[in-house]
Amino acid sequence: RHYFGKLFGDKYTPLTFVHAADMHADTVAWNRMVEYVNRYKEYLSFVLHTGDYCGASQKVYKDFGEVCDKCELETYQTNGNHDCFPGDYPWHLGDKQTTHGLLFKHTENWDVNFMDIPFSMSYYKDFPESNIRMIVLDDYFDVPETRLWLKDVLSDAKEKGLHVFTAQHERTNYIEETFGVN
């Protein structure tokens, strides 16, 4: 991680990470990703999984942290549409507390700032050594509250001079609807 910054004399440490999504409870795919991450961890900062950790629904949830190879880097995530479904077809949004419990039970070392609402799945994390703020958005629960929170978090990042990237499972109109732009 620090090698590249020192090599080029950068003021900030480059932030490098593996982005994955739609694992759908596939332990083979998860273990392949973990093998890659563990092999190249000295060049990486973290892993970001942006949804559909579960299979077709919560009914076929697998806790990769318990049944698969262990990833040696922090693995942040957000919920996907399949993570929010309690059972089989027809698809409908499940209970927020259950979704949070399945996907966010391994957050004790994340050092992130969750939106201040029960069982929030929107959060941000600052990487001051890289001058970057990562904002992870929940596409499915508390959308009006998340828009207000996002506006404040982005304003705060701007005041601090941080560069920002956002991550979520599906493209939504958060930015357009929050700031009234197209």
Side-chain angles (χ1 to χ4, degrees):
R1 280 184 280 228
H2 303 289
Y3 173 76
F4 294 112
K6 290 179 182 174
L7 178 68
F8 297 112
D10 292 340
K11 179 178 177 180
Y12 296 107
T13 302
L15 188 67
T16 55
F17 60 95
V18 170
H19 173 231
D22 295 290
M23 288 291 181
H24 289 286
D26 183 342
T27 56
V28 173
W30 186 263
N31 282 337
R32 286 183 65 207
M33 183 202 67
V34 168
E35 179 183 348
Y36 176 88
V37 168
N38 290 348
R39 173 174 283 166
Y40 297 104
K41 67 184 175 198
E42 69 184 280
Y43 305 106
L44 299 169
S45 304
F46 59 88
V47 176
L48 176 62
H49 185 270
T50 54
D52 285 351
Y53 189 80
C54 293
S57 69
Q58 293 172 353
K59 195 173 180 181
V60 287
Y61 170 80
K62 285 187 183 170
D63 186 344
F64 293 136
E66 294 176 5
V67 300
C68 291
D69 294 340
K70 301 293 187 220
C71 189
E72 296 175 18
L73 292 179
E74 200 63 62
T75 303
Y76 303 101
Q77 65 181 23
T78 191
N79 56 334
N81 54 322
H82 291 272
D83 301 319
C84 298
F85 300 141
D88 296 325
Y89 189 86
W91 303 108
H92 66 279
L93 201 57
D95 175 80
K96 181 173 113 172
Q97 184 175 354
T98 300
T99 303
H100 186 278
L102 291 174
L103 299 177
F104 293 91
K105 63 183 174 182
H106 299 295
T107 62
E108 59 276 353
N109 297 321
W110 282 15
D111 191 30
V112 301
N113 299 286
F114 280 97
M115 182 173 68
D116 191 19
I117 194 166
F119 309 109
S120 174
M121 291 174 266
S122 291
Y123 59 90
Y124 74 88
K125 179 172 178 69
D126 291 342
F127 298 90
E129 67 282 355
S130 301
N131 199 41
I132 293 175
R133 173 171 287 176
M134 171 180 73
I135 302 173
V136 179
L137 300 167
D138 171 5
D139 290 330
Y140 308 101
F141 299 100
D142 308 310
V143 172
E145 295 86 350
T146 302
R147 284 191 191 119
L148 294 172
W149 174 83
L150 177 61
K151 191 172 188 175
D152 291 340
V153 170
L154 288 170
S155 293
D156 179 64
K158 184 177 182 179
E159 286 176 22
K160 293 178 178 174
L162 295 170
H163 297 276
V164 173
F165 75 92
T166 60
Q168 60 199 81
H169 182 63
E170 297 182 86
R171 185 191 185 286
T172 61
N173 296 323
Y174 272 117
I175 300 298
E176 293 89 344
E177 293 171 1
T178 301
F179 295 99
V181 296
N182 290 323

